């Protein structure tokens, strides 16, 4: 008995072709694909190409998928090849049963029913009864050849139309109900059409088979769009409109881009953007993202430039974060306000949409704005909440190395946005920022602070944000600060030996030696320092590195908090700030070791 097509599709999707074929011949990257010498005929110049779901040799014509390759390369029979690939993919080969055979027959029959229905709806579009629908599509800027390529159609308003159209082909009412083309009757009433008085959009699977329909009402009635109900062929969260055509477009080098609606997809294909797809009337799902990644490692998600578009982009990012890896990610594009791809290409031409794609941002760059946009950040509590959301987003990524990189990027943006302690991006200061120390003195203070962190990284959770706020000198100070914060983002164990070993592996051994040079190191930078001494020493050098203008604002904020809370910690912070300001104004050149205690 034949195996279920869904099982074979999943088996092919779970079998990376470059890895399988690379066991037999050496492959090298060629753009988004791979190439090598054909394993089936002797050649010295590579003409054998491996794509996402098939291989092709331009020398001998060999062509096929993972199953075909194993059969040709090792002489395996079809069942043997399937068994071996399934074992490697962790799948169980379905065993024959009478029930399964019946399901397969019904599925094959339903594909034929859906194909016949698509033809019937398409035929009616060009009859007099379909003229209003055809005129609507032409007014929307579609050419007749585009209408025929997408097999758009018309479901008339009369009852029983689809049953009458398909009766001559031997299609029963039971099949029409199972295919989602008829609604079952209630209380003894006969079945009635699921779609009527709507422009019809056939929805195809990745192999080009019609599995469902979307129907749009003419005029302003509601609901504007209706999709087929879920059937043995169709699950809304699994498919994408235009997927079969986008696979072909991506194969020929087109950018894969997900937009909102069916008309957007059709208009973009007509304008030459043949990698366009759309979700089926819902927000993007994890399954739909997996489909996108099957045809492109970095598809672009294109959203409207309004608040609803921003919310949709944020939801898509939330779904995607646990799924991204170093091999697959996303880009985010935003349309001009009030435009969608359909209207944009119609009014301003393909170049306008190409500019939108050219301006798409990588996910790591877009994510900060998606999380921070519109969120209050005027108070320390609000900024802490935003920071928690940023780190939470990063840790949603399954690949922990990648998660650490995202965390570093997001917190770098956070620290830059709130440098100076304000509730938004740093603005020009009213108070001039004089040079608070000679460069050598400033570098020495940075060395003391970094030495404390190197010996006592347990302090990082408390002071990470403060360290990010500092303007440190270029060279070893800035390099060490960046590497320490990045390490802390992904470290499983926070200890001095692990941190120093990590920095050595990063090529910063000399910078560590500079920071830990014994001359002048304060008590707080010694391994035996008590926790209170460590904290006091860190804040001593932090305050002397912060700068007079920043310290004045910090002092004002500390006075306000002390007046409101009468908290001893706030009082101690105000004392330290006042001492630091006085030290700067007296022109003290450096901090002695004992000052930190």
């Amino acid at each position: 008995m034949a195996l279920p097509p869904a099982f074979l599709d999943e088996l092919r999707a779970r079998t990376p072709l470059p890895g399988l074929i690379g066991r037999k011949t050496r492959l090298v990257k060629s753009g988004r694909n791979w190439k090598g010498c054909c394993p089936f005929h002797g050649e010295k110049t590579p003409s054998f190409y491996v794509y996402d779901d098939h291989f092709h040799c331009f020398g001998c014509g060999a062509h096929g998928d993972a199953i075909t390759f194993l059969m040709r390369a090792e002489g395996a029979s079809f069942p043997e090849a399937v068994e071996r690939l399934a074992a490697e993919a962790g799948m169980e080969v379905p065993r024959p049963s009478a029930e399964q055979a019946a399901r397969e027959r019904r599925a094959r029959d339903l594909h034929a029913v859906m194909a016949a229905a698509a033809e019937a709806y398409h035929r009616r579009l060009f009859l007099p009864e379909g003229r209003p629908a055809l005129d609507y599509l032409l007014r929307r800027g579609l050419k007749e050849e585009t209408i025929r390529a997408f097999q758009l159609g018309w479901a008339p308003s009369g009852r029983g139309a689809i049953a009458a159209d398909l009766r001559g082909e031997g299609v029963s009412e039971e099949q029409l109900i199972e295919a989602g083309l008829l609604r079952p009757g209630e209380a003894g009433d006969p079945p009635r059409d699921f779609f009527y008085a709507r422009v019809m959009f056939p929805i195809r699977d990745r192999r080009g088979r019609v599995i469902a329909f979307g129907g749009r009402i003419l005029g302003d009635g509601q609901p504007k769009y209706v999709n087929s109900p879920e059937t043995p062929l169709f699950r809304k969260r699994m498919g994408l409109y235009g997927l079969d055509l986008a696979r072909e477009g991506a194969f020929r080098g087109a950018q894969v881009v997900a937009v909102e609606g069916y008309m957007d997809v059709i208009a973009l294909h007509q304008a030459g953007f043949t990698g366009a797809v759309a979700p089926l009337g819902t927000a993007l799902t994890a399954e739909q993202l997996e489909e996108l990644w099957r045809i492109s490692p970095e598809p672009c998600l294109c959203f409207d430039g309004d608040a609803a578009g921003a919310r949709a982009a944020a939801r898509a990012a939330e779904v995607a974060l646990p799924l991204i890896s170093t091999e697959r990610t996303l880009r985010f594009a935003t349309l001009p306000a009030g435009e969608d791809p359909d209207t944009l290409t119609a009014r301003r031409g393909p170049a306008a949409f190409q500019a939108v794609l050219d301006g798409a941002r990588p996910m790591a760059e877009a994510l900060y704005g998606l999380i921070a946009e519109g969120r209050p950040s005027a108070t320390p509590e609000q900024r802490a909440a935003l920071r928690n959301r940023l780190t939470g987003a990063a840790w949603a990524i399954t690949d922990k190395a990648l998660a650490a990189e995202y965390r570093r990027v997001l917190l770098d943006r956070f620290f830059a946005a709130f440098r100076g302690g304000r509730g938004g991006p740093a603005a020009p200061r009213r108070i001039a920022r004089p040079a608070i120390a000679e460069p050598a003195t400033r570098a020495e203070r940075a060395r003391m602070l970094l030495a404390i962190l190197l010996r006592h990284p347990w302090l990082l959770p408390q002071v990470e944000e403060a360290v990010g706020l500092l303007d440190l000198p270029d060279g070893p100070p800035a390099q060490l600060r960046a590497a320490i914060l990045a390490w802390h983002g992904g470290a499983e164990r926070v200890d001095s030996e692990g941190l120093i070993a990590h920095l050595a592996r990063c090529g910063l051994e000399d910078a560590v030696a500079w920071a830990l040079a014994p001359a002048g190191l304060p008590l707080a930078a010694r391994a035996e320092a008590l926790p209170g001494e460590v904290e006091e020493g860190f804040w001593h050098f932090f305050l002397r590195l912060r700068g007079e203008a920043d310290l004045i604002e910090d002092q004002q904020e500390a006075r306000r908090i002390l007046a409101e809370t009468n908290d001893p910690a706030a009082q101690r912070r105000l004392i330290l700030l006042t001492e630091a300001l006085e030290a700067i104004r007296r022109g003290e050149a450096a901090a002695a070791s004992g000052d930190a205690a």
Side-chain angles (χ1 to χ4, degrees):
M1 185 193 76
L3 292 168
F7 166 78
L8 294 176
D9 285 346
E10 185 174 357
L11 178 62
R12 294 181 183 104
R14 286 201 194 183
T15 304
L17 268 180
L20 176 68
I21 296 174
R23 302 172 192 172
K24 298 293 183 182
T25 186
R26 181 175 176 272
L27 299 175
V28 296
K29 198 76 170 167
S30 177
R32 289 178 41 239
N33 306 309
W34 299 79
K35 69 177 181 179
C37 290
C38 179
F40 305 125
H41 80 283
E43 63 176 8
K44 295 183 179 179
T45 302
S47 62
F48 182 84
Y49 283 76
V50 180
Y51 305 97
D52 65 322
D53 58 359
H54 72 282
F55 64 87
H56 183 80
C57 178
F58 291 91
C60 69
H63 182 93
D65 59 13
I67 299 170
T68 307
F69 181 81
L70 210 57
M71 292 170 67
R72 289 197 61 161
E74 301 189 5
S77 66
F78 179 83
E80 290 170 342
V82 169
E83 287 280 1
R84 286 181 53 186
L85 293 176
E88 292 188 12
M91 298 174 65
E92 186 173 345
V93 179
R95 300 305 171 191
S97 70
E99 293 79 7
Q100 186 177 340
R103 283 196 300 270
E104 287 180 33
R105 283 195 300 273
R106 286 200 304 273
R108 286 196 296 272
D109 290 344
L110 288 185
H111 280 301
V113 169
M114 297 302 279
E119 286 288 344
Y121 290 135
H122 184 61
R123 188 167 55 249
R124 283 185 178 272
L125 181 67
F126 294 94
L127 296 177
E129 67 185 71
R131 189 71 216 187
L134 181 59
D135 288 343
Y136 163 79
L137 294 171
L138 294 173
R139 283 196 306 273
R140 293 289 299 264
L142 299 187
K143 300 174 183 176
E144 185 172 324
E145 62 196 64
T146 303
I147 293 170
R148 293 190 183 277
F150 280 85
Q151 207 178 12
L152 305 184
W154 170 247
S157 55
R159 302 282 178 164
I162 192 64
D165 282 344
L166 301 188
R167 190 172 296 122
E169 301 189 32
V171 177
S172 68
E173 283 189 348
E174 290 74 16
Q175 287 176 305
L176 292 174
I177 292 172
E178 191 172 15
L181 297 170
L182 291 184
R183 298 178 189 270
E186 297 177 1
D189 293 335
R192 63 190 191 277
D193 294 51
F194 190 89
F195 297 101
Y196 56 91
R198 289 182 180 270
V199 180
M200 298 297 286
F201 298 81
I203 299 168
R204 295 181 170 85
D205 63 13
R206 67 198 316 265
R207 295 168 61 182
R209 300 172 299 185
V210 179
I211 55 174
F213 291 93
R216 189 198 192 282
I217 196 169
L218 289 180
D220 298 324
Q222 293 295 329
K224 183 182 290 185
Y225 279 94
V226 171
N227 284 332
S228 292
E230 301 227 337
T231 71
L233 301 183
F234 177 58
R235 292 176 61 197
K236 184 183 295 187
R237 66 181 296 106
M238 303 292 290
L240 290 162
Y241 184 70
L243 178 62
D244 57 321
L245 298 177
R247 288 180 70 229
E248 178 67 21
F251 175 74
R252 301 185 182 281
Q255 166 74 58
V256 175
V257 55
V259 291
E260 181 179 345
Y262 299 161
M263 287 297 296
D264 294 326
V265 171
I266 298 170
L268 287 176
H269 277 260
Q270 181 172 276
F273 300 95
T274 56
V277 298
L280 304 176
T282 62
L284 272 169
T285 65
E287 292 86 351
Q288 289 165 340
L289 286 170
E290 294 285 356
E291 286 286 5
L292 288 174
W293 281 318
R294 285 184 184 182
I295 57 176
S296 171
E298 192 176 23
C300 178
L301 308 186
C302 184
F303 297 95
D304 294 345
D306 56 13
R311 288 193 298 271
R315 285 195 301 269
E318 183 179 358
V319 173
L321 280 170
L323 306 174
I324 65 171
S325 69
T326 56
E327 301 297 326
R328 61 186 200 179
T329 185
L330 297 170
R331 296 180 71 82
F332 287 79
T334 303
L335 290 158
E339 297 279 14
D340 57 40
D342 180 15
T343 60
L344 186 64
T345 54
R347 293 196 309 105
R348 296 167 54 189
F353 188 74
Q354 185 60 54
V356 170
L357 291 183
D358 291 343
R361 296 170 296 164
M363 184 161 181
E365 182 182 325
L367 189 58
Y368 182 90
L370 294 176
I371 295 173
E373 185 70 29
R375 296 189 185 276
S377 55
T379 68
E381 293 82 1
Q382 290 168 346
R383 290 193 291 276
L386 172 58
R387 181 179 169 186
N388 288 340
R389 282 190 289 269
L390 294 170
T391 54
W395 290 129
I397 300 171
T398 306
D399 182 325
K400 291 310 175 187
L402 183 60
E405 285 300 311
Y406 263 74
R407 183 177 184 276
R408 181 184 62 78
V409 168
L410 292 173
L411 289 182
D412 282 351
R413 289 280 302 276
F414 175 86
F415 293 140
F418 300 106
R419 195 179 300 280
R422 299 187 170 207
R429 300 287 186 184
R430 293 188 301 272
I431 304 172
R433 185 192 293 269
I436 65 171
E438 292 298 322
T441 299
R442 187 163 179 78
E444 185 67 5
R445 288 174 176 169
R447 183 175 80 88
M448 305 299 176
L449 182 137
L450 291 166
I452 292 170
L453 293 178
L454 287 169
R455 289 298 185 205
H456 304 283
W458 55 263
L459 189 61
L460 280 168
Q462 303 172 42
V463 303
E464 183 180 39
E465 180 176 354
V467 174
L469 290 170
L470 290 173
D471 290 321
L472 295 184
D474 292 335
Q479 292 168 357
L480 279 176
R481 189 255 305 272
I484 290 170
L485 293 180
W487 169 82
H488 179 237
E492 294 183 2
R493 180 181 174 187
V494 179
D495 65 296
S496 178
E497 293 78 9
L499 171 58
I500 292 172
H502 169 78
L503 295 174
R505 290 193 296 272
C506 294
L508 293 175
E509 195 169 3
D510 290 344
V512 171
W514 164 79
L516 296 179
L521 278 186
L523 171 63
R526 299 175 187 170
E528 64 272 18
L530 298 175
E533 296 168 335
V534 172
E535 292 181 17
E536 193 81 8
F538 172 86
W539 289 113
H540 172 88
F541 290 106
F542 171 82
L543 293 171
R544 280 156 177 75
L545 284 164
R546 183 87 162 105
E548 183 176 5
D550 294 320
L551 287 175
I552 289 171
E553 290 193 1
D554 291 345
Q555 185 187 49
Q556 293 169 348
E557 179 71 5
R559 283 199 183 104
R560 183 187 65 79
I561 294 174
L562 179 60
E564 292 177 357
T565 66
N566 199 30
D567 184 352
Q571 182 181 31
R572 180 60 182 155
R573 181 167 181 261
L574 178 59
I575 292 170
L576 288 170
L577 286 164
T578 302
E579 289 176 351
L581 275 168
E582 291 174 354
I584 290 171
R585 289 162 179 166
R586 287 197 306 269
E588 289 183 1
S593 302
D595 291 341

